[in-house]
Amino acid sequence: MTDKETYESKNFIEEIIEEDLKNNKHGGRIHTRFPPEPNGYLHIGHTKAICINFENAEKYGGRTNLRFDDTNPVTEDTEYVEAIKNDIKWLGFEWEGDALFASDYFDKLYEFAIDLIKKGLAYVDDSSAEEIAEMKGTPTQPGVNSPYRTRSIEENLDLFQHMKEGAFEDGAKVLRAKIDMSSPNMHMRDPVLYRIKKVTHHRTGDKWCIYPMYDFAHGQSDSIENITHSLCSLEFRHHRPLYDWLIEKLEIFPSRQIEFARMNVAYMITSKRKLLKLIEDGYVTGWDDPRMSTLSGLRRRGYLPQSLRRFCNIVGVAKRDNVIEMELLESVIREDLNEVATRVMVVQDPIKVVIENYPDGEQETLTSVNNPQDENSGTHNMTFSREIFIERDDFMVDPPKKYFRLAPDKHVRLKGAYIIKANRYDSDAEGNITTVYCEYEPSSKSGEDTSGIKVKGTIHWVDANNYEDVELKLYDRLFTDPTPTSHEDKDFLEFLNPESLKVVPSAKAEKYLSEVGDSEPLQFMRKGYFIKDKDSNDERLVFNRTVTLRDSWAKIKQQLEKSKQGQ
RNA sequence: UGACCCAUGGUGUAAUUGGCAACACUACGGUUUUUGGUAUCGUCAUUCUAGGUUCGAGUCCUAGUGGGUCAACCA
């Protein structure tokens, strides 16, 4: 065994951690954190951040805190706190101790601010937001010092205390760090540390009327919690010098910020503001609409938590912008569902088949394997009789050569039952097939076939004398463009897919479907993976399509149609 | 017209740190199959460009090009 064979490739974060471990930095302790703001639901993009933080800690024997970054009471709410906790648990992660809140540190943060003022490194600015923006300059032009920048420490201390006590109106004053108004990094141009907001906070109530900004709360919270590796996305790169500056000046625990590229998935959006817009304007039914990129949406859609985690691991971690193809996500979920889904037969668009040589009034019971991938999955029963439903797609009057399904004078196997042959059919005034008349081969029963008939196709079916009507929700991508929010000249709503949801009000399902559990993964054979929806009740069963099965016939069909047009 | 980050197949990541560009997905073509599913085999790259260092460069250096980020009292 050589080094070559034992070598395992590491991403850049793992390399940093292993280097730190090697140097016994922080005594070999690894402590990460996931810091969501409770102002919306978690989405697929967060999943990557969650996995990176929790899995790296787990891998290197460390811990991970869950800390809510709740420093802006205007947009935050406890409803989101509960939803976020629920989603993280669903993914299978356990955070260290109780959930933490940046708002737990408001007292400490206030002391930090006083410390900074006393060190002559922060000042109270009376300028308006517009004036501050004006004085800040632009990325290509240096800013200018605020006239209030030279206030004495005593005056700053006094003013800041009065800010805290509510002596000033919202926006009248802010506390700023005194750094460098000509820095090429805009975040170092005397960033605002505290602002006045006379707003009730979801946890601290009316105790405070000044609230710290992100830059004065996040890194400090990391430090207070002794976080060793603060893993965040690339857009915070420019904040890092400020993150480090504050830690240095405050002389507190030196957490280290490391940035990675956030994950983008084609045809999905992850802007909380835009997701909220979809809900508010009624394009979707809520945060948990199965078309949403939210974890609650994906869960309702039938995605498995381990699939999402595996997806994030396959995608990897790096520092370049990326858009992951949806096909990869679908491949991962199909792979997992294939292993566990119970197979059932459901006809979505039925036509009736009458088996003329099968005795009228008779019914037999056949067994159906629950999952051919799993020997221990068992079987369930289904009935067969003279009249059955098959899929409209599975019969063609004048089929092309490559069509392996039912057609006049052609044989096909009914999955788990008999071989049948079509003799004739009825159609309505518009030419739609209404009934196909067939004969079956009694010696071809599934598992004991002595007929010797070779068939190329096997189709699914449901006993027309014993079935359950169910509602199906067939979901497709929510947008027609892979990156709907990337167009400067067009609003993302212009790319909404009008066919993102198709409802099948009464599909014909085998009876067994009424017995399946709420979160039992299902495969509707030859159609796709489904999961029972929470809208199901005693009168009506509703199923969401998680993802279709791969469909190579659809491709062949498309090619046939194309070549037909070409002629 | 500033600073910072990034650049390897259609997509996303690798390349044991300077030594035969690999894996997965997609696409295409086979095999198997009582799901046109699953499984399985095969095909698809002169590493953004130009110089340089070196016996040897995807990797190091220089310049360019392209993409991204930063100017909220948001996080």
Side-chain angles (χ1 to χ4, degrees):
Chain A
M1 182 77 80
T2 66
D3 284 352
K4 190 170 187 171
E5 286 164 276
T6 55
Y7 180 80
E8 202 180 308
S9 81
K10 292 183 274 283
N11 63 50
F12 75 100
I13 294 175
E14 291 167 330
E15 278 179 3
I16 291 171
I17 292 176
E18 291 192 14
E19 183 68 18
D20 289 345
L21 250 20
K22 206 177 87 187
N23 297 330
N24 201 33
K25 192 175 179 182
H26 306 308
R29 191 174 56 83
I30 303 296
H31 205 149
T32 62
R33 98 274 89 111
F34 177 62
E37 184 188 12
N39 68 344
Y41 280 57
L42 258 25
H43 53 65
I44 184 126
H46 290 116
T47 312
K48 179 158 177 177
I50 293 169
C51 286
I52 287 175
N53 277 292
F54 280 91
E55 290 180 355
N56 272 312
E58 200 170 53
K59 179 172 178 181
Y60 296 104
R63 319 157 193 267
T64 304
N65 290 354
L66 169 61
R67 181 179 69 237
F68 289 93
D69 238 334
D70 57 346
T71 58
N72 184 2
V74 178
T75 54
E76 293 152 6
D77 198 278
T78 309
E79 174 206 345
Y80 297 120
V81 171
E82 293 312 312
I84 289 168
K85 283 185 187 173
N86 190 32
D87 286 343
I88 296 171
K89 279 189 221 158
W90 177 68
L91 281 175
F93 293 112
E94 284 178 32
W95 54 87
E96 179 70 12
D98 293 331
L100 304 171
F101 294 83
S103 55
D104 291 342
Y105 310 136
F106 280 173
D107 286 302
K108 188 86 185 160
L109 262 16
Y110 181 77
E111 285 172 30
F112 283 159
I114 300 283
D115 183 30
L116 232 37
I117 294 171
K118 285 182 176 166
K119 286 172 173 161
L121 295 170
Y123 62 97
V124 173
D125 196 327
D126 299 359
S127 309
S128 68
E130 294 73 30
E131 286 165 340
I132 288 177
E134 182 71 23
M135 288 185 283
K136 204 157 229 173
T138 69
T140 54
Q141 274 180 310
V144 296
N145 286 169
S146 164
Y148 304 98
R149 199 175 199 261
T150 52
R151 280 217 254 239
S152 71
I153 290 173
E154 291 67 31
E155 191 183 1
N156 281 322
L157 248 17
D158 179 65
L159 285 170
F160 187 54
Q161 188 180 336
H162 281 92
M163 276 171 66
K164 181 196 175 197
E165 287 165 354
F168 310 114
E169 291 312 301
D170 286 16
K173 285 177 169 51
V174 291
L175 182 73
R176 291 228 259 169
K178 193 189 284 189
I179 309 180
D180 178 8
M181 289 307 289
S182 62
S183 169
N185 183 341
M186 298 295 289
H187 296 279
M188 297 298 272
R189 322 242 265 227
D190 289 11
V192 173
L193 267 22
Y194 263 95
R195 77 290 214 189
I196 302 167
K197 274 181 195 285
K198 294 185 174 170
V199 175
T200 304
H201 185 278
H202 76 114
R203 297 192 85 241
T204 60
D206 294 322
K207 179 180 175 191
W208 296 88
C209 66
I210 56 170
Y211 293 95
M213 297 287 291
Y214 166 84
D215 285 306
F216 199 64
H218 187 87
Q220 287 54 52
S221 299
D222 283 346
S223 192
I224 289 165
E225 295 173 12
N226 291 313
I227 299 301
T228 57
H229 301 262
S230 182
L231 312 174
C232 64
S233 52
L234 240 35
E235 66 261 36
F236 293 100
R237 173 64 185 85
H238 300 289
H239 294 253
R240 202 204 312 161
L242 177 54
Y243 184 100
D244 292 339
W245 187 90
L246 286 166
I247 281 174
E248 185 199 325
K249 301 304 178 194
L250 255 14
E251 299 169 89
I252 54 180
F253 180 82
S255 301
R256 175 177 176 189
Q257 174 177 304
I258 300 162
E259 311 88 11
F260 59 87
R262 54 184 293 175
M263 176 177 72
N264 301 295
V265 182
Y267 302 100
M268 289 186 168
I269 62 167
T270 50
S271 151
K272 278 190 259 187
R273 217 199 88 247
K274 291 189 171 83
L275 289 171
L276 191 59
K277 171 102 177 147
L278 291 175
I279 297 166
E280 285 174 342
D281 292 1
Y283 295 110
V284 298
T285 56
W287 287 106
D288 70 345
D289 187 297
R291 292 165 293 181
M292 293 281 269
S293 63
T294 52
L295 287 178
S296 50
L298 292 164
R299 175 167 59 235
R300 192 172 169 191
R301 174 88 168 244
Y303 273 80
L304 269 20
Q306 65 267 32
S307 304
L308 262 15
R309 288 175 60 163
R310 210 157 64 79
F311 175 63
C312 289
N313 280 294
I314 289 170
V315 160
V317 190
K319 293 178 80 166
R320 52 179 142 164
D321 296 333
N322 60 81
V323 182
I324 316 294
E325 290 177 335
M326 213 180 194
E327 285 81 356
L328 179 61
L329 214 209
E330 293 185 338
S331 159
V332 171
I333 184 65
R334 282 193 187 110
E335 207 164 35
D336 291 345
L337 253 14
N338 179 48
E339 299 298 320
V340 299
T342 301
R343 270 62 169 175
V344 293
M345 293 203 265
V346 178
V347 175
Q348 296 185 4
D349 184 11
I351 53 173
K352 191 169 272 187
V353 166
V354 177
I355 300 162
E356 294 183 288
N357 61 337
Y358 196 89
D360 201 5
E362 198 168 299
Q363 189 178 69
E364 66 184 291
T365 300
L366 302 168
T367 57
S368 183
V369 175
N370 286 334
N371 184 351
Q373 306 293 320
D374 177 6
E375 285 176 12
N376 303 317
S377 65
T379 61
H380 66 267
N381 292 333
M382 57 187 302
T383 61
F384 182 80
S385 68
R386 182 181 162 90
E387 293 189 351
I388 61 172
F389 294 116
I390 67 166
E391 213 69 66
R392 184 168 298 279
D393 274 358
D394 288 341
F395 176 76
M396 250 182 126
V397 175
D398 188 18
K401 206 185 270 171
K402 286 179 181 169
Y403 190 81
F404 302 149
R405 307 176 187 180
L406 193 62
D409 289 323
K410 291 263 216 162
H411 289 282
V412 78
R413 169 165 297 278
L414 297 173
K415 177 72 184 174
Y418 299 93
I419 291 172
I420 57 169
K421 186 183 77 160
N423 290 327
R424 62 199 172 84
Y425 60 91
D426 290 341
S427 50
D428 63 18
E430 282 98 54
N432 299 316
I433 309 296
T434 51
T435 309
V436 181
Y437 298 90
C438 296
E439 60 186 72
Y440 87 117
E441 178 50 53
S443 66
S444 68
K445 185 169 176 178
S446 185
E448 46 197 83
D449 183 0
T450 56
S451 72
I453 303 170
K454 289 266 181 279
V455 294
K456 292 216 76 170
T458 300
I459 63 173
H460 62 284
W461 56 276
V462 167
D463 186 351
N465 291 305
N466 181 32
Y467 66 93
E468 186 85 18
D469 267 310
V470 298
E471 180 177 320
L472 265 33
K473 291 194 165 156
L474 309 181
Y475 296 105
D476 197 356
R477 52 189 62 160
L478 226 202
F479 297 96
T480 55
D481 185 277
T483 53
T485 58
S486 70
H487 304 267
E488 280 168 18
D489 52 330
K490 284 183 178 166
D491 190 74
F492 76 106
L493 293 173
E494 292 182 44
F495 298 104
L496 275 167
N497 178 7
E499 303 195 335
S500 63
L501 168 60
K502 282 184 193 160
V503 178
V504 179
S506 61
K508 312 300 179 192
E510 59 173 296
K511 271 287 180 191
Y512 179 67
L513 193 57
S514 57
E515 298 172 25
V516 302
D518 282 348
S519 54
E520 183 176 349
L522 303 165
Q523 186 197 96
F524 291 2
M525 273 195 274
R526 301 208 303 137
K527 283 297 176 185
Y529 293 100
F530 286 77
I531 189 103
K532 196 197 276 187
D533 187 66
K534 68 173 187 184
D535 282 350
S536 298
N537 54 41
D538 290 346
E539 278 119 61
R540 185 183 64 148
L541 289 171
V542 183
F543 295 88
N544 294 324
R545 185 173 70 194
T546 310
V547 64
T548 62
L549 248 38
R550 222 176 238 112
D551 188 357
S552 58
W553 166 245
K555 281 177 199 162
I556 297 168
K557 202 167 121 186
Q558 219 169 38
Q559 281 169 5
L560 286 173
E561 277 162 15
K562 223 176 249 175
S563 66
K564 208 189 248 176
Q565 282 173 354
Q567 279 170 358

